[in-house]
Amino acid sequence: MATVTRENIGLLNDKITVKVNSEDYLPSFEKTLKSYSKTANIPGFRKGMVPASLIRKMHGQSVFTEEVLRSVEKSLNEYMTNEKLEIFAQPLPLADNNPEKLDMNAPAEYSFEFEIGLKPSFTVTDLSKGKFTRYVVNVTDEMVTDEVERLRLRHGKMTNPDTVTSDDNVLNVTFTEEGVEGGITKDNSLLVKYFAESVRPSLMGKKAGDSFTVKLSEAFEVKEREWVMGDLGLDIHDAAAAEKTFRVDITKVGLVERAEMNEEFFKQLFPNKEIANEEAFRAVIKSEIEAQWAAQTRNQLHDQIFHALIDNTQIEFPEAFLKRWMEVNGENPKSREQVEQEYPSFVNQLKWTLIVDQIVKDNNIEVLPDDLKAFARQQLFSYMGMPEVGDDQPWIEDYVNRMMKDRKFVEDSFHRVQTEKVFTWAEGQVKAKEEKIEAEAFNKMVSEHKH
């Protein structure tokens, strides 16, 4: 009968030794050889009549090795199950485990050693004792007006006037690089207001067929210049490229007539709301903007929670084992230098995974099939850019059922829904101080903290 022993060799790092003798593997070895005799197709012998001696000669050693290793693996797994060991990854076979030492002609007791990394016990930090800020972005009248005008343009009617009359005219143009044989030629479409303020007056009265010359650095401010240079295939960080000169040929002049502020427009944007006048429309727009900012500030609170959990939850790791595992795991083994470089990020992600698992376990957080279906619906309407509709649409149900059969989608969705539930639980634990903030200051804070 196989014997299994275990000894500690480091922090959360144990060695398991499995010893098997002939009675553990010989019966299955002989049984497998007989099975080979019955099924083997060897020229000169009828199926099922191949001599056992020939089968042993041809396949005996490989079968013997497989059966010994299978016996070892079975004993190892049974031991870990009975001992209820929680380990990282899989046991690592030690270098001395050389299958070449196995000899079917001399069955004996064989010893195999494995190294395991044990998962640590820990307590998740008490979020109620931390300091958190729940930001509330101030939505100004200017922000509402800008969004209203954007929507009026987006849903407006395109017309084709003869000449340029305002900053809102759309120009279809062709950029042709000057002074370079075979230089850049590119069609584009842009609003007059994308040009620098000093250039716009010279464009008034222009019509299809007219041309003008621009130096990129002078014709556009930084943001618009980078966009134009990118479209022309130029490096936006190349100062010399910004000094290039282009002839701009106008091929068409357009103008979007803004949608009228009437009930038809309101209904088009918000079919499920009763909006009778501009004041009510602006109120709905403000509410929509506030909801968008609330989602962003909630994400920022989640970021604070993430750092509180990572920074204040103390967890020990079997570092030596994990580094060895990183070296040999996967299709492409890593060098020690690569492991040292990647280990901090690897163990940080591992720490987060353990924290999430512990929160899920301690608080009975579940992801149910209905949660995954609701997520699939949400994804569908998000992709389509439309509000969610009722459950009585067969095409929606067909889509959801199809996605629920997609294993990758289900696995990805499960982790995303579970993470959302963990953060929702965490929000209920924190005592966040509410603080009002301007949009520009909030965006700056978030951009400086991107990781």
Side-chain angles (χ1 to χ4, degrees):
M1 182 177 179
T3 59
V4 183
T5 57
R6 173 177 154 209
E7 64 177 299
N8 179 256
I9 57 175
L11 175 65
L12 297 169
N13 194 187
D14 286 1
K15 180 175 75 173
I16 295 178
T17 302
V18 180
K19 292 182 179 180
V20 293
N21 54 44
S22 58
E23 67 184 42
D24 295 312
Y25 55 79
L26 277 183
S28 56
F29 168 60
E30 298 294 346
K31 183 178 178 180
T32 302
L33 284 182
K34 287 181 181 179
S35 176
Y36 269 57
S37 296
K38 294 177 182 179
T39 58
N41 286 313
I42 297 178
F45 297 94
R46 285 188 296 168
K47 188 174 182 180
M49 300 300 290
V50 181
S53 59
L54 182 59
I55 293 295
R56 179 180 289 268
K57 183 177 180 181
M58 294 177 66
H59 303 289
Q61 186 56 51
S62 63
V63 172
F64 183 81
T65 301
E66 288 175 8
E67 293 303 329
V68 172
L69 295 180
R70 185 178 291 117
S71 177
V72 170
E73 183 180 10
K74 179 173 177 286
S75 299
L76 176 63
N77 290 335
E78 286 178 352
Y79 176 82
M80 291 195 299
T81 300
N82 293 336
E83 294 294 313
K84 298 179 180 175
L85 297 183
E86 291 195 49
I87 67 172
F88 288 114
Q90 295 295 321
L92 286 178
L94 296 186
D96 290 341
N97 295 353
N98 184 5
E100 293 183 3
K101 67 185 178 183
L102 305 178
D103 183 1
M104 72 170 182
N105 296 314
E109 181 181 76
Y110 297 112
S111 179
F112 287 82
E113 295 178 336
F114 301 87
E115 184 181 356
I116 59 171
L118 299 166
K119 288 185 178 180
S121 296
F122 65 94
T123 301
V124 176
T125 188
D126 186 352
L127 291 173
S128 67
K129 295 180 180 178
K131 293 183 179 180
F132 301 90
T133 303
R134 189 186 300 272
Y135 291 99
V136 179
V137 173
N138 179 34
V139 177
T140 64
D141 289 342
E142 183 182 1
M143 292 162 69
V144 174
T145 298
D146 288 345
E147 179 62 10
V148 168
E149 292 305 301
R150 187 189 72 80
L151 290 170
R152 290 183 67 193
L153 275 173
R154 180 181 174 186
H155 296 276
K157 178 183 176 183
M158 177 65 78
T159 61
N160 299 302
D162 293 330
T163 60
V164 175
T165 56
S166 77
D167 289 354
D168 291 330
N169 278 111
V170 180
L171 299 182
N172 286 3
V173 299
T174 300
F175 282 88
T176 303
E177 187 176 3
E178 293 201 325
V180 179
E181 187 177 350
I184 298 169
T185 299
K186 184 73 168 59
D187 293 333
N188 204 328
S189 179
L190 63 168
L191 290 166
V192 170
K193 65 182 177 184
Y194 287 176
F195 288 88
E197 207 167 331
S198 59
V199 176
R200 295 176 205 168
S202 66
L203 301 179
M204 297 302 135
K206 296 285 187 185
K207 61 185 184 298
D210 287 349
S211 299
F212 57 97
T213 301
V214 297
K215 181 184 287 188
L216 298 179
S217 62
E218 298 173 356
F220 302 98
E221 299 297 341
V222 175
K223 182 179 177 182
E224 289 77 14
R225 181 169 67 246
E226 289 182 353
W227 175 76
V228 171
M229 289 178 68
D231 187 71
L232 292 170
L234 298 172
D235 182 356
I236 63 174
H237 303 295
D238 185 353
E243 298 302 313
K244 287 180 177 288
T245 301
F246 286 82
R247 187 182 77 249
V248 182
D249 297 301
I250 301 174
T251 57
K252 185 178 180 181
V253 176
L255 179 67
V256 178
E257 292 183 354
R258 290 175 169 81
E260 292 186 30
M261 298 279 279
N262 54 32
E263 287 191 44
E264 181 182 353
F265 176 54
F266 305 152
K267 201 72 176 176
Q268 180 184 3
L269 290 176
F270 302 103
N272 298 321
K273 296 182 183 292
E274 293 295 330
I275 305 175
N277 52 46
E278 183 177 345
E279 183 181 359
F281 178 66
R282 288 179 64 88
V284 171
I285 294 297
K286 184 174 184 179
S287 176
E288 293 281 313
I289 297 173
E290 287 173 340
Q292 292 167 10
W293 280 113
Q296 292 190 49
T297 56
R298 183 171 183 249
N299 286 340
Q300 203 282 328
L301 176 59
H302 288 179
D303 185 73
Q304 296 177 51
I305 290 170
F306 170 81
H307 282 288
L309 290 169
I310 286 287
D311 296 341
N312 301 321
T313 300
Q314 301 304 313
I315 304 179
E316 292 183 312
F317 288 94
E319 182 175 334
F321 169 83
L322 290 174
K323 286 182 176 179
R324 280 192 287 274
W325 182 85
M326 289 175 69
E327 278 189 63
V328 302
N329 183 54
E331 295 180 3
N332 301 312
K334 298 180 186 295
S335 67
R336 292 200 174 181
E337 291 74 18
Q338 286 177 299
V339 169
E340 291 298 331
Q341 183 179 4
E342 296 175 15
Y343 181 76
S345 148
F346 168 79
V347 83
N348 212 43
Q349 180 59 49
L350 191 57
K351 184 175 184 180
W352 175 243
T353 300
L354 290 179
I355 291 171
V356 169
D357 289 346
Q358 191 68 42
I359 291 173
V360 167
K361 179 182 176 183
D362 291 345
N363 298 280
N364 298 316
I365 294 174
E366 292 184 288
V367 177
L368 304 173
D370 284 348
D371 295 323
L372 300 178
K373 290 179 180 179
F375 183 77
R377 284 171 52 85
Q378 176 190 331
Q379 289 280 75
L380 172 63
F381 291 112
S382 175
Y383 292 150
M384 297 179 67
M386 60 181 284
E388 290 198 34
V389 297
D391 295 326
D392 56 348
Q393 302 289 331
W395 64 275
I396 298 174
E397 185 177 353
D398 289 344
Y399 170 82
V400 171
N401 290 336
R402 187 168 65 254
M403 296 310 293
M404 292 298 288
K405 295 176 183 176
D406 184 329
R407 181 177 176 181
K408 186 176 186 307
F409 173 83
V410 170
E411 288 178 353
D412 291 346
S413 301
F414 177 90
H415 290 298
R416 293 179 68 175
V417 172
Q418 184 185 72
T419 301
E420 174 63 24
K421 288 195 172 194
V422 166
F423 275 115
T424 298
W425 167 84
E427 279 186 77
Q429 309 304 305
V430 305
K431 298 170 183 175
K433 178 187 71 174
E434 193 169 286
E435 181 179 317
K436 292 194 174 181
I437 189 171
E438 297 302 319
E440 185 177 351
F442 179 79
N443 283 333
K444 182 180 179 183
M445 177 182 66
V446 171
S447 67
E448 289 176 348
H449 188 62
K450 278 186 177 176
H451 58 79

